[in-house]
Amino acid sequence: MNDTLVTLVGNAATGVEFRETASGGMARFRFAVTPRRWDRGKQLWTDGHTSFFTVWAWRALALNLSGSVSVGEPLVVHGRLKVREEEREGRRKTFVDIEAVAVGHDLTRGTAAFRRVAKGESALTISVGSPDGAGGPGGGDPWDRGSDGGDAGGGESSEGGEREEGERPVRRGNERSTGSRKTDGELAPVP
């Protein structure tokens, strides 16, 4: 086995796009990694060049990602590094993907509350992009590996209410592990 396994620390750059397939769930999101270095001359921390990766996940990990990760959240991603080149519009482009083995919130920058998903639970989320979960906005295939995805908006939540542009799908059963949940327009602590 000659896979290159990597562990990356960064932030979710896009929302998680989830799709149900014949072999189980499939999810993807863009992941931004920005190194920080101590500048001795200026005596302060400076950001390096940001690298972007497309993280892919399947089956249970894909389903759990779709209900747990939002844009901007700090994450640790462990998986197989895949680099591919494609020719588009007459130019050669390089894409760097991570086939995720494990993903978790970076607890050096916040807290999280783990909730185990009961085996046999039906779909916990709906796909972002359309009310029936059939695909992304704009009619194109958002799962084309070369695209950077679309925006996450529109559609209805799984509880039947309207969802605002860019809002994450609502989970059935278990609440998200952010430490608070929305009730009637205000935040209340999770028991």
Side-chain angles (χ1 to χ4, degrees):
M1 186 159 126
N2 292 327
D3 288 337
T4 302
L5 292 172
V6 295
T7 301
L8 303 170
V9 177
N11 295 304
T14 65
V16 176
E17 298 174 31
F18 178 82
R19 174 188 275 187
E20 199 66 45
T21 66
S23 61
M26 181 171 151
R28 75 170 181 184
F29 67 96
R30 296 285 285 162
F31 189 60
V33 177
T34 305
R36 293 190 44 89
R37 293 185 174 82
W38 179 255
D39 186 334
R40 290 183 188 186
K42 296 179 182 177
Q43 293 294 306
L44 55 89
W45 287 96
T46 59
D47 289 339
H49 175 75
T50 301
S51 298
F52 289 91
F53 303 87
T54 301
V55 178
W56 294 86
W58 286 267
R59 294 173 286 287
L61 178 57
L63 185 62
N64 292 338
L65 273 172
S66 68
S68 301
V69 173
S70 297
V71 176
E73 290 184 344
L75 301 173
V76 177
V77 174
H78 179 72
R80 292 174 197 85
L81 179 67
K82 304 286 183 179
V83 180
R84 60 192 166 80
E85 291 186 7
E86 293 180 10
E87 189 163 328
R88 292 194 173 189
E89 300 167 4
R91 293 182 10 199
R92 199 116 179 107
K93 290 190 170 192
T94 302
F95 298 95
V96 183
D97 299 334
I98 307 294
E99 290 181 5
V101 173
V103 178
H105 286 97
D106 182 358
L107 298 181
T108 62
R109 297 192 274 165
T111 63
F114 179 77
R115 305 255 192 303
R116 187 173 301 276
V117 176
K119 288 187 179 182
E121 270 190 46
S122 61
L124 297 174
T125 61
I126 59 172
S127 295
V128 173
S130 70
D132 63 357
D141 184 6
W143 295 91
D144 174 18
R145 282 189 165 251
S147 75
D148 289 335
D151 70 301
E156 292 184 340
S157 73
S158 60
E159 294 181 348
E162 288 294 317
R163 204 174 31 177
E164 292 184 18
E165 183 84 11
E167 186 179 352
R168 298 294 308 148
V170 176
R171 288 177 57 90
R172 288 188 204 131
N174 298 334
E175 294 291 327
R176 280 201 55 227
S177 59
T178 60
S180 62
R181 77 175 143 232
K182 210 172 195 179
T183 55
D184 298 326
E186 52 185 78
L187 293 177
V190 174

